[in-house]
Each structure stands twice: as C-alpha cells, then as structure tokens.
Amino acid sequence: DADVTQTPRNRITKTGKRIMLECSQTKGHDRMYWYRQDPGLGLQLIYYSFDVKDINKGEISDGYSVSRQAQAKFSLSLESAIPNQTALYFCATSDYQGGPQYFGPGTRLLVL
Amino acid sequence: SQQGEEDPQALSIQEGENATMNCSYKTSINNLQWYRQNSGRGLVHLILIRSNEREKHSGRLRVTLDTSKKSSSLLITASRAADTASYFCATESNAGGTSYGKLTFGQGTILTVHP
C-alpha cells in the first residue's frame, strides 16, 4: 500500500466552485506539504504544516486554504476555483527538518 | 522565484552513456537534494547532500556539491531506458540564519535515454 495517498486523482470542476483535495499518510511523519506543479515547471509550495497545530503559508497560498485534521491527514481547499489553478497538485511528508520528502501520486485538477 | 536552476533543460542520450545534470542556487543552504519524476507522477527522492559534504554516491548516482560556486551536479552512470524522467534539485535554504525545513525546487532537467 502507498505510504502517501491523495484523493481524488483527477478532478474537473467549474470556475467558482469550492473543492477539496485530500492527503493521507501512513509514514507517521509530522511534517506535511502541499505543492502545485504547472506544465514544464518545478514545484511551488502552497502550504506546509509541521504538526497538527502548526500551519504556514508557502509561496503561493492566495486562493487556497488547508486543514490538518490529524497527524495523518492534510487537506487542501480551493475556496472559489479559477482556471489558472489548473495544475497538478502534490502532497508530501517528511520526517525531520530539511529531510527527504515523500510524495503522493498527485491530483490532476482542471478548472473550466 | 526559483532557488535552483537546472541545466540543461533537456538531455537526450543513448543507453549506456553517462548523464550529467547541473543545478545552481542563490542562497546559502543546509542541504541539497535530487528527485526524479516519471511523467505526471509523484517525485521520488534520490539523494541528499549536506552543505559540509562535497560528494556522495548511491548506486549509479554520483552527486557533487560546490558551495563556493553554489552549484551541484548529478551524474547517472551507464544510463538505462528506465532512467528516462525529469530530475529536480531542491535546496533547504538557511538564508538569514533560519531554516524552516522548507525545500525550494528548480524547474528540472528532462532526461531521455534511448534504447
């Protein structure tokens, strides 16, 4: 079984809709991250969380919000989706500060 | 802005040849990491090199780090078709003396290995 899972894997939505992307991990890591990847580009950090009570904005947090429901669960919400949020979204975890990150399979989001 | 910049953007080689990818960064770092991404899939961690290390090996991978030049290279020896993927460097910056453990990723090198 995968250590980091993301649901859904693919999602098509319309402009203005609220959607939630979910991430679960069985690695027991405290640190979790949400990134977006646009075609041909690297990853940009949206939000990160070092434990259940600690949530921080990344480089591109505008238009996004997150919820850390438990150590194992970290959700990303788009309050009112817009077309330029069309991208591949990844969740990741890490065991210690600056350590290797373990990525989920990604959610491909299309906003029409 | 991207901390890491990979070079070249794309690399095409024959199976058995070596592949070298370079990464340059702008600020002082605690460590630098390399990741591989198969098309449209999640990134996979390959190797981590700390700022006080100059070279590290893992199987067919060799990573060097030159902090004076703020650059790193990833060498894949005896490449295989299965090595075809995008490769990203990522840095943990300690600019300002504070590190929050965040990684900043470059835009990647697309490697194609022809059988």
Side-chain angles (χ1 to χ4, degrees):
Chain A
D1 287 341
D3 294 318
V4 184
T5 57
Q6 292 183 236
T7 57
R9 296 293 313 280
N10 294 280
R11 179 73 184 268
I12 300 173
T13 192
K14 295 183 179 180
T15 297
K17 294 292 187 181
R18 182 182 189 275
I19 66 164
M20 179 182 289
L21 309 183
E22 299 187 345
C23 176
S24 294
Q25 53 115 345
T26 58
K27 298 187 76 67
H29 292 167
D30 285 326
R31 297 167 180 266
M32 297 187 74
Y33 309 81
W34 275 105
Y35 294 92
R36 68 175 275 174
Q37 184 180 33
D38 295 281
L41 298 180
L43 276 67
Q44 294 177 282
L45 182 62
I46 307 173
Y47 271 95
Y48 59 103
S49 170
F50 289 162
D51 64 41
V52 175
K53 296 182 180 179
D54 178 78
I55 292 179
N56 305 278
K57 293 183 177 181
E59 307 168 85
I60 55 163
S61 59
D62 288 349
Y64 301 95
S65 63
V66 290
S67 173
R68 184 81 184 266
Q69 301 95 325
Q71 186 205 38
K73 296 186 181 295
F74 193 32
S75 300
L76 175 72
S77 294
L78 284 68
E79 299 302 325
S80 179
I82 56 176
N84 76 1
Q85 291 178 313
T86 292
L88 191 52
Y89 289 85
F90 290 105
C91 172
T93 75
S94 68
D95 189 23
Y96 59 90
Q97 181 172 308
Q101 293 189 8
Y102 299 88
F103 284 78
T107 294
R108 193 172 297 277
L109 175 65
L110 174 61
V111 183
L112 300 175
Chain B
S1 62
Q2 297 291 337
Q3 160 80 318
E5 297 288 340
E6 283 95 339
D7 170 60
Q9 289 188 325
L11 180 61
S12 182
I13 60 174
Q14 296 296 126
E15 214 169 21
E17 294 179 340
N18 295 342
T20 300
M21 289 160 270
N22 303 295
C23 170
S24 59
Y25 57 91
K26 298 175 184 174
T27 67
S28 60
I29 61 171
N30 287 332
N31 69 62
L32 184 145
Q33 304 178 31
W34 286 90
Y35 289 80
R36 183 186 74 224
Q37 182 183 34
N38 290 88
S39 181
R41 301 193 177 188
L43 278 70
V44 174
H45 178 260
L46 295 175
I47 198 164
L48 181 155
I49 186 165
R50 293 185 168 79
S51 60
N52 62 351
E53 298 176 310
R54 292 298 168 257
E55 187 171 313
K56 206 160 183 181
H57 297 256
S58 176
R60 294 184 296 112
L61 306 181
R62 173 178 169 253
V63 169
T64 61
L65 179 64
D66 186 335
T67 54
S68 66
K69 295 181 179 178
K70 292 186 170 60
S71 67
S72 173
S73 67
L74 170 66
L75 168 67
I76 304 174
T77 59
S79 63
R80 306 166 181 168
D83 294 328
T84 294
S86 293
Y87 291 81
F88 295 89
C89 67
T91 53
E92 185 203 1
S93 171
N94 64 4
T98 301
S99 169
Y100 297 102
K102 297 182 295 180
L103 296 181
T104 303
F105 287 80
Q107 295 185 345
T109 291
I110 300 172
L111 173 65
T112 303
V113 182
H114 300 281

